[in-house]
Each structure stands twice: as structure tokens, then as C-alpha cells.
């Protein structure tokens, strides 16, 4: 029986090489599938980032619209304390939405290019208002973004 094994060693070598070949092909196929899944994951991640940007841009637009509509509503009247408080709340909601978006840009969760294309002028104007009213420390992300990207003119 030992003679049969010794004589069949050539067959065993061939079988081992075939198994090694299949293993190599399996590894290559596995790497290819992993690369496809990674590519799909990256594409999905980009889409999620764009959806998040859209959501925060919508939130900023709604806060801005609410603030501006209220400004138009009270334009020619004398503000009482209640109206003034409401104005300040609407302004603060708008600034906080922008401040949050600035944080996302600073942390690279959002693309700087998209955000600045949409809000660069507004940020500079708000920065100046906050600076004049000594309120920059209340909206530190707006301050840091304007300074980091040298938007101040």
C-alpha cells in the first residue's frame, strides 16, 4: 500500500497545485468583490453627504425666510418688548443654523465649495454684524470659518 502512495505522489502534487490555483483565483475574485463593495460604499457616502447638505441648506433657508418675513412685517412699526424678543429669537435661529453648517464645513462633513458658493456673501455680512456687536464668541463656527478661509474683506 505504501508503494501505491509513493507512485501516486505525482498525482498528489498535481492535486495540490490545482488546489493552490483555485485558492489564488478565489482570492482574486474576493478582492475584486471587495473593491466593488468599497466603491459602492463611497458612492453611497457621497450621496448621503449631499442629502445632508441639502437638508441643512433647507433649514438655513427656512430660518432666513422666517427672519426676513418678520423683518418685513415689523418694518414700519415701533417695536415693543414682545416683538423685539421675537425678532431676536428669529435672528438667533437663523444664526444658529448657519453656525451649525459652518461647523459641518470646518469638520469636513460638508463640502466647502458647495457651502461657500451658496453662503459666502451672507457669512461675511453676518460676521461683520456679529463683530460690530461683540457677539462673535456666541457663533464661534461662523467666526472660525470666515477667518480660516479668509472670507473677510
Amino acid at each position: 500500500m505504501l508503494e501505491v502512495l509513493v507512485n501516486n505522489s505525482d498525482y498528489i502534487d498535481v492535486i495540490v497545485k490545482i488546489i493552490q490555483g483555485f485558492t489564488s483565483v478565489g482570492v482574486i475574485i474576493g478582492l475584486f468583490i471587495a473593491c466593488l463593495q468599497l466603491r459602492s460604499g463611497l458612492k453611497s457616502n457621497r450621496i448621503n453627504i449631499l442629502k445632508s447638505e441639502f437638508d441643512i441648506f433647507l433649514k438655513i433657508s427656512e430660518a432666513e425666510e422666517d427672519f426676513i418675513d418678520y423683518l418685513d412685517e415689523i418694518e414700519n412699526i415701533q417695536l415693543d418688548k414682545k416683538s423685539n424678543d421675537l425678532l431676536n429669537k428669529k435672528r438667533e435661529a437663523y444664526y444658529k443654523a448657519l453656525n451649525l453648517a459652518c461647523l459641518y464645513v470646518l469638520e469636513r462633513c460638508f463640502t466647502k465649495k458647495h457651502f461657500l458658493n451658496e453662503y459666502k456673501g451672507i457669512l461675511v455680512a453676518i460676521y461683520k454684524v456679529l463683530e460690530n456687536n461683540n457677539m462673535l464668541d456666541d457663533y464661534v463656527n461662523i467666526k472660525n470659518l470666515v477667518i480660516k478661509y479668509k472670507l473677510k474683506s
Side-chain angles (χ1 to χ4, degrees), residues 43-61:
K43 185 177 180 181
S44 178
N45 191 31
R46 276 189 241 124
I47 289 170
N48 287 335
I49 288 172
L50 290 174
K51 284 180 183 177
S52 296
E53 286 180 357
F54 178 77
D55 289 344
I56 195 75
F57 289 176
L58 182 62
K59 183 178 179 180
I60 292 169
S61 293

Side-chain angles (χ1 to χ4, degrees), residues 58-74:
L58 182 62
K59 183 178 179 180
I60 292 169
S61 293
E62 288 171 350
E64 178 183 31
E65 185 177 317
D66 194 31
F67 176 56
I68 290 173
D69 286 349
Y70 191 70
L71 281 176
D72 289 342
E73 186 179 312
I74 62 168

Side-chain angles (χ1 to χ4, degrees), residues 43-153:
K43 185 177 180 181
S44 178
N45 191 31
R46 276 189 241 124
I47 289 170
N48 287 335
I49 288 172
L50 290 174
K51 284 180 183 177
S52 296
E53 286 180 357
F54 178 77
D55 289 344
I56 195 75
F57 289 176
L58 182 62
K59 183 178 179 180
I60 292 169
S61 293
E62 288 171 350
E64 178 183 31
E65 185 177 317
D66 194 31
F67 176 56
I68 290 173
D69 286 349
Y70 191 70
L71 281 176
D72 289 342
E73 186 179 312
I74 62 168
E75 184 175 0
N76 295 323
I77 64 170
Q78 181 67 29
L79 286 179
D80 60 358
K81 182 172 175 15
K82 184 178 177 183
S83 297
N84 194 41
D85 288 346
L86 186 57
L87 174 65
N88 288 333
K89 283 182 183 180
K90 290 181 181 289
R91 178 186 305 121
E92 186 176 342
Y94 176 46
Y95 288 178
K96 282 184 176 182
L98 272 172
N99 196 52
L100 180 62
C102 289
L103 173 66
Y104 292 156
V105 172
L106 290 168
E107 294 295 324
R108 298 180 186 201
C109 298
F110 286 174
T111 54
K112 174 184 87 167
K113 177 183 171 187
H114 292 158
F115 183 72
L116 292 182
N117 281 343
E118 195 72 28
Y119 293 102
K120 180 181 178 183
I122 293 169
L123 283 173
V124 171
I126 289 174
Y127 178 89
K128 289 177 182 176
V129 168
L130 293 173
E131 187 175 43
N132 291 339
N133 293 320
N134 294 319
M135 295 175 60
L136 278 174
D137 291 334
D138 294 339
Y139 304 96
V140 70
N141 297 314
I142 293 174
K143 172 184 158 185
N144 291 343
L145 188 117
V146 168
I147 291 170
K148 180 176 183 177
Y149 297 115
K150 299 176 176 96
L151 304 178
K152 210 167 56 163
S153 24

